Amino acid sequence: MAEKNRTRQPNGASSIYLGKDGKWHGRVTVGVRDDGKPDRRHNERKTKAQVTKAVP
């Protein structure tokens, strides 16, 4: 059953936020590196729509 007032993205989803520099940033976990740390990729664009399209 879905909650109406969800405050965060579900597990595995990308994180999209407006940075202090005025650009939108998107981070997504694509796997695990050899040293065991999560492999997180970063994209930065001018608009939220562009970031949403760039990160899955």
Side-chain angles (χ1 to χ4, degrees):
M1 185 174 187
E3 294 182 25
K4 292 181 183 179
N5 296 328
R6 174 164 262 168
T7 58
R8 67 180 208 66
Q9 293 291 337
N11 291 340
S14 58
S15 300
I16 298 174
Y17 59 93
L18 182 60
K20 290 182 181 180
D21 58 358
K23 294 181 182 178
W24 286 91
H25 299 265
R27 294 189 184 271
V28 63
T29 303
V30 293
V32 180
R33 294 188 281 183
D34 291 337
D35 61 2
K37 293 182 182 179
D39 188 4
R40 304 216 2 123
R41 303 297 170 98
H42 175 257
N43 279 307
E44 109 182 10
R45 304 281 193 271
K46 288 185 178 182
T47 66
K48 186 177 181 178
Q50 290 174 335
V51 172
T52 303
K53 188 175 179 181
V55 294

